[in-house]
Amino acid sequence: MLKVFLAEDEVIIRQGIKNTISWEKEGLEFVGDAGDGELAYPLILKTQPDILITDIRMPFMDGLELSRLVRQKLPSIKILILSGYNDFEYARQAIEIGVTDYLLKPISSSQLLEAVKKVAGIILEEQEQKKLLEQYQSDMEESLNLERVKLFGELVDRTVTIAEAVERGENLGLDFSAACYMVVVFSTFYTGDNHAYAEKRVRTDEEIRNFINRELGILLFERPVDGWFLVLKGEDQKEIEDLLERF
């Protein structure tokens, strides 16, 4: 359910918006309201709404200033401005802040709901696009890893020339250029409580990746089964042995 927060200093309007619209029926969750921007800001940070509806004229902190602060902390939030002023300058500032819609008062509950549902549709579409992008990136990473493991096997079997390995390595984000090399093959095992295995395995893998990412002289090849292939690179044997010891 997408979450909605309302900032409006006029009590009658605020209560009307809050109580007239059947939020849950519309697939939305009304997570809070406030009478001015100063009170609204900490509540917004706490409730993390997807949509903020705010009046433009409020005491202590107006809707534009509230929108600026909120956008800094929650850049993906969608903001609907309510204004009784058809003023170009207000609209211009709202556009600069990144406000999603600028609605003129008076506005009925049905009109406001229509605007909110339109914004909700945009959010859901963005979330779907984000999922598709993450899945694509995951699939690409898996494909790259399989190609890296394949290349590693061909290097071991000597079925690929150095020139071919260098060229294919560049396409896979691997720099093979070095004076000396060492191949390390290892697996991780955990002999404690099986219930803690998954957590410890994830943490161990993360620590290994973090170390490798910090070291320019290590190329990583994951094995299809639990384990790792590493190629350590250096200018001489001592440099590689020092790198291995740190690892």
mmCIF file of all heavy atoms in Angstrom, residues 145 148 174 208-209 212 218-222 228-231:
data_model
loop_
_atom_site.group_PDB
_atom_site.id
_atom_site.type_symbol
_atom_site.label_atom_id
_atom_site.label_comp_id
_atom_site.label_asym_id
_atom_site.label_seq_id
_atom_site.Cartn_x
_atom_site.Cartn_y
_atom_site.Cartn_z
ATOM 1 N N ASN A 145 29.426 -13.661 -14.903
ATOM 2 C CA ASN A 145 30.173 -14.575 -14.041
ATOM 3 C C ASN A 145 30.385 -15.918 -14.732
ATOM 4 O O ASN A 145 31.472 -16.507 -14.649
ATOM 5 C CB ASN A 145 29.443 -14.770 -12.716
ATOM 6 C CG ASN A 145 30.228 -15.648 -11.760
ATOM 7 O OD1 ASN A 145 31.335 -15.306 -11.372
ATOM 8 N ND2 ASN A 145 29.673 -16.797 -11.413
ATOM 9 N N ARG A 148 33.085 -15.500 -17.171
ATOM 10 C CA ARG A 148 34.386 -15.410 -16.503
ATOM 11 C C ARG A 148 34.893 -16.793 -16.105
ATOM 12 O O ARG A 148 36.073 -17.118 -16.286
ATOM 13 C CB ARG A 148 34.276 -14.522 -15.275
ATOM 14 C CG ARG A 148 34.131 -13.040 -15.580
ATOM 15 C CD ARG A 148 33.750 -12.270 -14.356
ATOM 16 N NE ARG A 148 33.559 -10.849 -14.640
ATOM 17 C CZ ARG A 148 32.804 -10.037 -13.927
ATOM 18 N NH1 ARG A 148 32.157 -10.500 -12.859
ATOM 19 N NH2 ARG A 148 32.677 -8.777 -14.252
ATOM 20 N N LEU A 174 37.912 -7.671 -16.846
ATOM 21 C CA LEU A 174 39.078 -8.309 -16.240
ATOM 22 C C LEU A 174 40.349 -7.822 -16.932
ATOM 23 O O LEU A 174 40.462 -7.900 -18.154
ATOM 24 C CB LEU A 174 38.986 -9.837 -16.375
ATOM 25 C CG LEU A 174 37.754 -10.506 -15.760
ATOM 26 C CD1 LEU A 174 37.708 -11.977 -16.161
ATOM 27 C CD2 LEU A 174 37.772 -10.364 -14.245
ATOM 28 N N ILE A 208 34.575 -11.211 1.780
ATOM 29 C CA ILE A 208 35.505 -11.591 0.716
ATOM 30 C C ILE A 208 35.404 -10.613 -0.448
ATOM 31 O O ILE A 208 36.415 -10.120 -0.960
ATOM 32 C CB ILE A 208 35.203 -13.027 0.224
ATOM 33 C CG1 ILE A 208 35.563 -14.041 1.326
ATOM 34 C CG2 ILE A 208 35.978 -13.344 -1.053
ATOM 35 C CD1 ILE A 208 35.109 -15.442 1.042
ATOM 36 N N ARG A 209 34.173 -10.299 -0.851
ATOM 37 C CA ARG A 209 33.977 -9.368 -1.967
ATOM 38 C C ARG A 209 34.513 -7.975 -1.637
ATOM 39 O O ARG A 209 35.124 -7.321 -2.484
ATOM 40 C CB ARG A 209 32.492 -9.280 -2.318
ATOM 41 C CG ARG A 209 31.935 -10.535 -2.949
ATOM 42 C CD ARG A 209 30.465 -10.367 -3.281
ATOM 43 N NE ARG A 209 29.910 -11.592 -3.778
ATOM 44 C CZ ARG A 209 30.026 -12.044 -5.007
ATOM 45 N NH1 ARG A 209 30.728 -11.328 -5.884
ATOM 46 N NH2 ARG A 209 29.493 -13.176 -5.392
ATOM 47 N N ILE A 212 38.256 -8.019 -1.954
ATOM 48 C CA ILE A 212 38.683 -8.095 -3.351
ATOM 49 C C ILE A 212 38.466 -6.766 -4.064
ATOM 50 O O ILE A 212 39.284 -6.332 -4.866
ATOM 51 C CB ILE A 212 37.926 -9.239 -4.060
ATOM 52 C CG1 ILE A 212 38.406 -10.599 -3.501
ATOM 53 C CG2 ILE A 212 38.137 -9.184 -5.572
ATOM 54 C CD1 ILE A 212 37.612 -11.775 -3.987
ATOM 55 N N ILE A 218 43.560 -8.493 -7.648
ATOM 56 C CA ILE A 218 42.836 -9.763 -7.528
ATOM 57 C C ILE A 218 41.695 -9.812 -8.533
ATOM 58 O O ILE A 218 40.882 -8.888 -8.611
ATOM 59 C CB ILE A 218 42.257 -9.969 -6.114
ATOM 60 C CG1 ILE A 218 43.378 -9.947 -5.063
ATOM 61 C CG2 ILE A 218 41.493 -11.277 -6.025
ATOM 62 C CD1 ILE A 218 42.896 -10.161 -3.646
ATOM 63 N N LEU A 219 41.642 -10.879 -9.307
ATOM 64 C CA LEU A 219 40.520 -11.139 -10.215
ATOM 65 C C LEU A 219 39.682 -12.276 -9.621
ATOM 66 O O LEU A 219 40.219 -13.299 -9.214
ATOM 67 C CB LEU A 219 41.019 -11.531 -11.604
ATOM 68 C CG LEU A 219 41.956 -10.533 -12.302
ATOM 69 C CD1 LEU A 219 42.354 -11.060 -13.671
ATOM 70 C CD2 LEU A 219 41.287 -9.174 -12.438
ATOM 71 N N LEU A 220 38.384 -12.089 -9.575
ATOM 72 C CA LEU A 220 37.493 -13.061 -8.934
ATOM 73 C C LEU A 220 36.722 -13.854 -9.969
ATOM 74 O O LEU A 220 36.156 -13.307 -10.908
ATOM 75 C CB LEU A 220 36.504 -12.330 -8.019
ATOM 76 C CG LEU A 220 35.323 -13.156 -7.483
ATOM 77 C CD1 LEU A 220 35.830 -14.258 -6.561
ATOM 78 C CD2 LEU A 220 34.341 -12.257 -6.758
ATOM 79 N N PHE A 221 36.688 -15.175 -9.769
ATOM 80 C CA PHE A 221 35.850 -16.070 -10.568
ATOM 81 C C PHE A 221 35.085 -16.953 -9.587
ATOM 82 O O PHE A 221 35.688 -17.763 -8.882
ATOM 83 C CB PHE A 221 36.702 -16.962 -11.476
ATOM 84 C CG PHE A 221 37.615 -16.210 -12.404
ATOM 85 C CD1 PHE A 221 38.839 -15.733 -11.951
ATOM 86 C CD2 PHE A 221 37.255 -15.970 -13.713
ATOM 87 C CE1 PHE A 221 39.691 -15.038 -12.795
ATOM 88 C CE2 PHE A 221 38.106 -15.277 -14.564
ATOM 89 C CZ PHE A 221 39.325 -14.817 -14.097
ATOM 90 N N GLU A 222 33.765 -16.805 -9.536
ATOM 91 C CA GLU A 222 32.983 -17.666 -8.644
ATOM 92 C C GLU A 222 32.785 -19.028 -9.283
ATOM 93 O O GLU A 222 32.512 -19.133 -10.477
ATOM 94 C CB GLU A 222 31.611 -17.037 -8.375
ATOM 95 C CG GLU A 222 31.625 -15.873 -7.425
ATOM 96 C CD GLU A 222 30.216 -15.422 -7.105
ATOM 97 O OE1 GLU A 222 29.463 -16.204 -6.509
ATOM 98 O OE2 GLU A 222 29.878 -14.289 -7.471
ATOM 99 N N TRP A 228 35.480 -20.465 -4.744
ATOM 100 C CA TRP A 228 36.004 -19.306 -5.447
ATOM 101 C C TRP A 228 37.264 -19.676 -6.215
ATOM 102 O O TRP A 228 38.055 -20.517 -5.783
ATOM 103 C CB TRP A 228 36.367 -18.203 -4.459
ATOM 104 C CG TRP A 228 35.319 -17.889 -3.442
ATOM 105 C CD1 TRP A 228 34.949 -18.650 -2.377
ATOM 106 C CD2 TRP A 228 34.474 -16.743 -3.409
ATOM 107 N NE1 TRP A 228 33.941 -18.039 -1.683
ATOM 108 C CE2 TRP A 228 33.636 -16.864 -2.285
ATOM 109 C CE3 TRP A 228 34.357 -15.610 -4.212
ATOM 110 C CZ2 TRP A 228 32.690 -15.911 -1.944
ATOM 111 C CZ3 TRP A 228 33.436 -14.656 -3.882
ATOM 112 C CH2 TRP A 228 32.604 -14.798 -2.764
ATOM 113 N N PHE A 229 37.442 -19.049 -7.388
ATOM 114 C CA PHE A 229 38.717 -19.027 -8.093
ATOM 115 C C PHE A 229 39.214 -17.596 -8.021
ATOM 116 O O PHE A 229 38.471 -16.657 -8.305
ATOM 117 C CB PHE A 229 38.567 -19.392 -9.577
ATOM 118 C CG PHE A 229 38.107 -20.793 -9.830
ATOM 119 C CD1 PHE A 229 37.112 -21.046 -10.773
ATOM 120 C CD2 PHE A 229 38.667 -21.859 -9.160
ATOM 121 C CE1 PHE A 229 36.697 -22.328 -11.031
ATOM 122 C CE2 PHE A 229 38.251 -23.159 -9.409
ATOM 123 C CZ PHE A 229 37.253 -23.396 -10.353
ATOM 124 N N LEU A 230 40.469 -17.416 -7.660
ATOM 125 C CA LEU A 230 41.072 -16.086 -7.678
ATOM 126 C C LEU A 230 42.341 -16.123 -8.515
ATOM 127 O O LEU A 230 43.073 -17.116 -8.502
ATOM 128 C CB LEU A 230 41.430 -15.611 -6.267
ATOM 129 C CG LEU A 230 40.307 -15.472 -5.245
ATOM 130 C CD1 LEU A 230 40.892 -14.995 -3.923
ATOM 131 C CD2 LEU A 230 39.244 -14.526 -5.737
ATOM 132 N N VAL A 231 42.600 -15.048 -9.240
ATOM 133 C CA VAL A 231 43.887 -14.867 -9.896
ATOM 134 C C VAL A 231 44.525 -13.645 -9.262
ATOM 135 O O VAL A 231 43.991 -12.532 -9.345
ATOM 136 C CB VAL A 231 43.727 -14.661 -11.413
ATOM 137 C CG1 VAL A 231 45.082 -14.334 -12.029
ATOM 138 C CG2 VAL A 231 43.147 -15.913 -12.060
#
